[in-house]
Amino acid sequence: SSMTKPIRKAEVEIYASVYRRKLNARTIKIPKGERFEGGDAYVHNGFVYMRVGVRSTLGAAKHIFEKLEKELNKRGLEFAIVVDPDPLKRPAKEQMDFMHLDTFSNPIGDAQIAVCEEETKYRRVKFLRCKKGKVEVIDSGLSFMEHLERKEKDIVVIPRAEQESFGCNFLATK
């Protein structure tokens, strides 16, 4: 993981330390030149979702997938990337409003997901799969919203005005 602001760089080691000590989880070092930021991934309803765009890169997604592939297969999880089709053509405000996956969508327990409908209709879903030792990107042909409508039991739509005040950016606990 990397943090854009120097003041936040210490967070990476803090998170890694917590994951190692408290969750017995290993860390994955992202290759130089690639980026992955917290808030750009979550696991929900049989999928690992990772946002790919300006802040987290496709190269980082492929690297994470390669490192986790065996475990994902063992757990029956698919790796889906949620792609901004043209992030650099978007106004800076929109880039900031939707800077991470959890700013426009977020799981609520096992059976619900909160989304900003406008943004989830814009984003595209692609899957990462390994074929003959090489990671391939497979386009689902669906928007993120269309994908969720096929997979989710209950989608809670957060109005754009609420999303702009980070209405999707919350932590749900049981």
Side-chain angles (χ1 to χ4, degrees):
S1 180
S2 69
M3 293 290 183
T4 325
K5 305 280 183 200
I7 196 168
R8 297 194 65 196
K9 290 199 184 291
E11 290 179 38
V12 175
E13 184 47 41
I14 291 168
Y15 277 109
S17 176
V18 169
Y19 292 149
R20 279 191 309 267
R21 292 181 190 167
K22 301 295 182 190
L23 303 175
N24 198 25
R26 64 190 166 116
T27 55
I28 298 171
K29 182 132 175 79
I30 303 299
K32 193 168 177 67
E34 302 294 347
R35 289 180 318 281
F36 170 73
E37 290 194 3
D40 268 343
Y42 53 72
V43 179
H44 183 64
N45 201 6
F47 294 88
V48 172
Y49 292 107
M50 182 173 162
R51 175 190 173 272
V52 169
V54 175
R55 293 195 172 229
S56 294
T57 62
L58 178 59
K62 287 179 172 182
H63 181 76
I64 292 166
F65 172 75
E66 283 180 310
K67 296 291 183 189
L68 296 178
E69 184 198 6
K70 287 181 182 149
E71 189 172 338
L72 295 173
N73 289 338
K74 190 168 76 174
R75 294 174 184 249
L77 295 170
E78 287 193 70
F79 198 104
I81 55 175
V82 180
V83 180
D84 185 332
D86 204 351
L88 297 176
K89 285 195 176 173
R90 298 182 87 177
K93 183 186 180 330
E94 272 189 28
Q95 287 183 38
M96 287 305 293
D97 285 348
F98 306 116
M99 73 176 89
H100 293 300
L101 182 63
D102 68 3
T103 60
F104 61 88
S105 69
N106 217 342
I108 308 170
D110 297 332
Q112 290 182 311
I113 191 162
V115 303
C116 172
E117 187 174 26
E118 176 183 300
E119 190 64 13
T120 53
K121 283 182 174 179
Y122 173 73
R123 300 286 173 142
R124 311 305 300 166
V125 172
K126 299 180 181 186
F127 296 100
L128 297 187
R129 303 233 167 83
C130 199
K131 190 171 182 181
K132 297 180 182 174
K134 187 176 187 291
V135 177
E136 292 185 342
V137 179
I138 295 144
D139 193 338
S140 72
L142 301 173
S143 72
F144 189 32
M145 189 66 171
E146 290 166 330
H147 166 81
L148 292 174
E149 287 172 340
R150 292 176 182 201
K151 302 293 179 185
E152 295 295 328
K153 295 177 185 87
D154 190 8
I155 298 171
V156 178
V157 175
I158 304 294
R160 176 68 193 261
E162 291 295 319
Q163 185 280 330
E164 287 177 358
S165 356
F166 296 100
C168 288
N169 193 236
F170 56 81
L171 176 63
T173 59
K174 288 184 180 184

